[in-house]
Amino acid sequence: MINENNITCLDGGSRKSLFLDNKFGALDYIIFGALLALSSLIGLYYACTGNKQSSTSEFHMAGKSMGILPVALSLLASFMSAITLLGTPSEIVVFGTQYMMLAFAYCLVIPIAAHVFVPVFYKLNLTSVYEYLEKRFSKSVRTYTCIVYIFQTELYLAIVLYAPCLTLSVVTGLNKWLAVVSVGAVCTFYTAIGGMKAVMWTDVVQICLMFLGLIGIIIKGCIDFDGVIKMWAALEENGRVSFSEFSADPFIRHSFWSLVIGGTFTWLTIYGVNQSQVQRALCTPNCKIGQIALWINLPGLVGLMFACFFCGLVVFSEYKNCNPLQINRISERDQLLPLYVMDKMNYPGFPGFFTACIFSGALSTISSGLNSLSTVVLHDLIFAYCCVGMSDGRATTLSKLISMLFGVLMILLAVVASNLDGLLQAAYSVYGLVGGPILGVFMFGLFFPWGNFKGALFGLTFSLVSTLWIGIGAQIYKPKILGYIPPPMKVDKCYDLNQTLLSVRNINDSLCFLHHNFNVSNYSGSSIYQLSYMWYSALAVTTACLSGLVVSFITGLTRVFQPLQL
C-alpha cells in the first residue's frame, strides 16, 4: 500500500510521480530520433541545394513559389502545436465538452482572414504585415506594434517549447530542463539554416505525424472501450457533457458566447494579422491561391480539434475511476495523455512515435515563429532605420543570426512558461493579452479611415496596459472559476503495481479535487480578474478602437486615408 503521507491535497508539497516504470526502450529512441531527423534533413536539404537560401526573398518568402497544399498544411501545423495536442484532451477530462463550441469560431475566422485581411496585405505586396501600419499611420506605429509582436511571440514560443519537454519528462524520466535546452537548440539551428521552404515542408511532415499519433490513440480506445458511444456514455454519466452554458456573463470561463465570439477575436489575432501565418499566405504566387490555402485550413482545424477531443474521451474512459492527479501519478493535468500512452500503449516503438508527434507540433510552431521574428526585425527595425544598402547575401546571413538569438531567448523564457497554469489556457491568454491589442490596431486602421496615428499609438498603449493588468492580476490572485464545474473524478478503483487497492485519506474531498485540477484559490472577491480568458482579445480590440477614435477626434485628422478596395 502507498504511504498516505505521499498523498497531499491542499499544499501540493509532495508531487512526485508514482509507478511510472514504463520508460523509453531502445526502439523508442530510434523511432523518435529518426522522425525528428527527417525534419532536420529537410531543413538541411533546402540549406544546401538550389539557391542555398542566399536571398532574403527565398529565406523569408520562399520566393513566392509555394503551392496550395504545403501552404495550407503549414498554416494548420503552425498553431496546432503540442499545446493543442496535450491541452485539449486534458480540457475534456477536467472541464468537459463545452470547449468544443470553439469549432464555430473557426468557421467565422477563416472567411474573415481570407477575404478581409489577406487581400489588403497582398495588394500592398508586403513582406512584413507591419509595413501596412506605416503606410496607414506612421513609422512609429509600425515600430511600436512590431516590438509588441516580438514580445508576444517569444513568450508564446517559450510555452510551446516547454509543453513537449514536459511530456518527454513523463514518458522517459529525462530532466525536462535538459530537454528544453537540447530541443530548443536543435530546432533553432535547423530553422536558421533552412529558410521558409524548409519550415513549410517540415510542417507538412509534422502535421501528418500529429494526425497519425492521435488516430492511433483513438483506435486503441475504441477497441478497449467498445467504441465511441460507450466512451461518450461514460463522459455523460460523470457529468462532463455540457453544451448548455449560454450565459452572457463575461466572468464565466467557457460559455457559447465566450468561445464563439471571444474565440473568433482570439483566432483572428493568429490568422488575420499574425506575421507567421500571414507570411505563409503571402508565399503563394497570387492572392487567390493564398485564400484557397486558408479555406483548406477550416476542415483541418475542425478535424484536428475533434481528434484531440476523442483522445480526451479515451483518456477519461481509462481514468474515470482513478484520477491520476489525486494520487500523484502526475503533477499537471497536461500530462494525462502521455500517461495514458505509457500505461496502455507501451508497445515497442509507439511511445517514441507518440513523443515525436508531440514534438512535431512544437517544432512546426517554433520554426515558423523564429522565421517570422527574423523577418520583422530585419524589415521593420533594421531596414526601417538603417542598413538599407546592405547586400542581399549579408541580409540573409543577418536573418539567420537573428533567428538563433531569438532561439536562445526562447529557451530562457521557458522558465516563465513553467509557472503558468494549464498550457491551453496560458497560450490563449498570451494571444488575447498581447495579440489582441495588435489586432485592435490593424482593425482600427482597416475599418476607421478617420483614425490618425496618434489615436493608433494611444489605442495600442491603452489596450495593452488594460489587458496585461487583467491577465497578470488573474495569474497573481488566481480568482475562482465560474460556470459549470463537473463533479470530482472517482478514486474507488485505484491500484498500485501489485494490484492492491490504494487507501488514501480524504481522497474524495472536493476541495482537493478542485485544487489539483482547477488550481482554485481562496480568492472570492468580485473583480475584473474574474474575466474569462477567452474575452481578452475581444476586450483588447474594443479598447484599442474606442480609445483610438476618441484621441483621433480630439487631436484632429492629420492624415487622410482612403480604405483599400477589396
Side-chain angles (χ1 to χ4, degrees):
M1 308 240 337
I2 292 178
N3 188 339
E4 294 175 358
N5 293 327
N6 283 336
I7 308 298
T8 61
C9 290
L10 299 183
D11 62 349
S14 180
R15 299 297 297 159
K16 68 178 184 179
S17 297
L18 301 175
F19 33 91
L20 288 177
D21 285 352
N22 294 327
K23 302 295 182 183
F24 260 27
L27 183 59
D28 294 311
Y29 280 109
I30 292 172
I31 293 176
F32 174 56
L35 292 175
L36 293 183
L38 178 60
S39 296
S40 298
L41 287 174
I42 294 174
L44 288 170
Y45 172 80
Y46 283 104
C48 300
T49 61
N51 55 27
K52 300 182 181 180
Q53 307 301 318
S54 60
S55 70
T56 54
S57 175
E58 277 291 328
F59 188 80
H60 294 304
M61 304 299 293
K64 289 201 170 186
S65 61
M66 300 301 292
I68 293 176
L69 184 61
V71 172
L73 293 178
S74 180
L75 285 167
L76 178 60
S78 292
F79 285 90
M80 286 297 178
S81 64
I83 293 172
T84 303
L85 302 185
L86 298 174
T88 303
S90 69
E91 174 72 26
I92 301 304
V93 172
V94 176
F95 290 100
T97 59
Q98 186 79 26
Y99 175 77
M100 299 307 295
M101 287 188 171
L102 186 66
F104 292 109
Y106 295 155
C107 299
L108 297 175
V109 168
I110 294 301
I112 294 173
H115 299 286
V116 175
F117 289 96
V118 168
V120 172
F121 301 138
Y122 221 105
K123 188 172 183 177
L124 293 174
N125 192 30
L126 305 180
T127 298
S128 164
V129 294
Y130 303 104
E131 295 175 57
Y132 164 79
L133 296 178
E134 181 175 357
K135 296 177 183 295
R136 171 63 179 87
F137 295 114
S138 67
K139 181 180 286 188
S140 58
V141 177
R142 173 185 180 181
T143 303
Y144 185 11
T145 311
C146 172
I147 292 172
V148 174
Y149 168 77
I150 292 171
F151 169 73
Q152 168 207 2
T153 304
E154 271 296 282
L155 183 55
Y156 179 73
L157 293 184
I159 298 173
V160 170
L161 174 61
Y162 176 72
C165 294
L166 176 66
T167 301
L168 192 63
S169 69
V170 173
V171 297
T172 68
L174 179 67
N175 182 279
K176 63 184 176 184
W177 297 116
L178 177 62
V180 165
V181 174
S182 302
V183 174
V186 170
C187 184
T188 299
F189 173 75
Y190 105 78
T191 300
I193 65 172
M196 180 56 81
K197 282 186 178 179
V199 168
M200 295 180 76
W201 280 112
T202 52
D203 285 350
V204 172
V205 174
Q206 288 156 0
I207 194 65
C208 293
L209 293 178
M210 290 159 67
F211 270 109
L212 286 174
L214 296 176
I215 290 171
I217 294 171
I218 295 169
I219 292 173
K220 171 64 174 175
C222 288
I223 293 173
D224 288 348
F225 302 108
D226 299 324
V228 173
I229 294 178
K230 289 192 175 181
M231 289 190 289
W232 178 270
L235 201 70
E236 189 171 24
E237 181 182 329
N238 286 270
R240 278 164 174 74
V241 175
S242 174
F243 298 102
S244 58
E245 187 58 80
F246 285 88
S247 172
D249 185 348
F251 298 124
I252 292 177
R253 181 176 181 268
H254 283 166
S255 68
F256 174 82
W257 303 110
S258 68
L259 290 166
V260 177
I261 305 302
T264 297
F265 279 95
T266 300
W267 278 90
L268 271 179
T269 67
I270 297 172
Y271 274 89
V273 299
N274 184 276
Q275 172 67 25
S276 181
Q277 290 293 79
V278 176
Q279 190 173 333
R280 278 160 174 65
L282 299 181
C283 286
T284 56
N286 57 63
C287 183
K288 185 176 181 180
I289 293 178
Q291 290 174 315
I292 294 173
L294 279 168
W295 273 104
I296 293 175
N297 255 245
L298 182 55
L301 282 170
V302 175
L304 190 61
M305 182 182 188
F306 274 90
C308 293
F309 163 74
F310 285 117
C311 286
L313 277 182
V314 173
V315 172
F316 182 81
S317 297
E318 174 64 26
Y319 299 117
K320 64 181 185 292
N321 293 319
C322 183
N323 181 4
L325 283 160
Q326 286 180 265
I327 60 172
N328 288 354
R329 290 203 65 195
I330 53 177
S331 60
E332 301 180 44
R333 64 175 182 260
D334 297 303
Q335 296 172 331
L336 281 165
L337 186 61
L339 176 67
Y340 172 82
V341 170
M342 294 308 297
D343 277 350
K344 305 301 292 185
M345 302 188 71
N346 197 30
Y347 310 118
F350 190 85
F353 179 77
F354 169 77
T355 305
C357 295
I358 298 297
F359 270 96
S360 292
L363 290 172
S364 63
T365 303
I366 293 172
S367 60
S368 61
L370 293 178
N371 188 278
S372 69
L373 286 172
S374 68
T375 301
V376 298
V377 169
L378 185 69
H379 289 272
D380 297 310
L381 298 181
I382 297 177
F383 285 171
Y385 292 95
C386 65
C387 305
V388 290
M390 181 183 294
S391 67
D392 210 27
R394 293 185 67 182
T396 304
T397 301
L398 180 59
S399 295
K400 296 177 180 180
L401 291 174
I402 293 170
S403 296
M404 291 183 180
L405 289 175
F406 278 116
V408 173
L409 180 58
M410 170 191 65
I411 294 171
L412 297 176
L413 284 175
V415 178
V416 177
S418 67
N419 295 316
L420 298 176
D421 180 40
L423 297 175
L424 194 65
Q425 181 168 329
Y428 276 109
S429 296
V430 168
Y431 268 92
L433 297 173
V434 188
I438 295 175
L439 175 62
V441 173
F442 278 95
M443 294 186 73
F444 181 63
L446 284 170
F447 301 119
F448 299 99
W450 49 85
N452 61 27
F453 82 96
K454 294 178 182 178
L457 288 173
F458 182 84
L460 176 59
T461 302
F462 183 70
S463 176
L464 191 63
V465 170
S466 300
T467 53
L468 285 176
W469 170 50
I470 295 171
I472 294 174
Q475 281 293 321
I476 293 174
Y477 294 106
K478 302 290 185 184
K480 62 183 178 182
I481 294 172
L482 301 179
Y484 178 74
I485 297 178
M489 291 172 67
K490 301 174 183 177
V491 287
D492 56 352
K493 294 183 180 179
C494 289
Y495 298 89
D496 63 13
L497 291 176
N498 297 318
Q499 296 300 305
T500 303
L501 186 65
L502 301 184
S503 174
V504 182
R505 182 183 302 161
N506 295 327
I507 200 67
N508 289 311
D509 187 293
S510 60
L511 182 59
C512 171
F513 171 80
L514 291 176
H515 177 83
H516 283 316
N517 291 275
F518 297 93
N519 201 14
V520 173
S521 69
N522 293 323
Y523 180 83
S524 59
S526 175
S527 77
I528 193 64
Y529 303 136
Q530 296 272 173
L531 182 69
S532 168
Y533 71 98
M534 292 302 300
W535 285 115
Y536 287 166
S537 186
L539 174 65
V541 171
T542 302
T543 54
C545 291
L546 290 180
S547 61
L549 283 173
V550 170
V551 171
S552 295
F553 283 121
I554 292 175
T555 59
L557 299 179
T558 58
R559 182 175 181 179
V560 179
F561 176 79
Q562 294 296 327
L564 292 171
Q565 297 298 318
L566 303 182

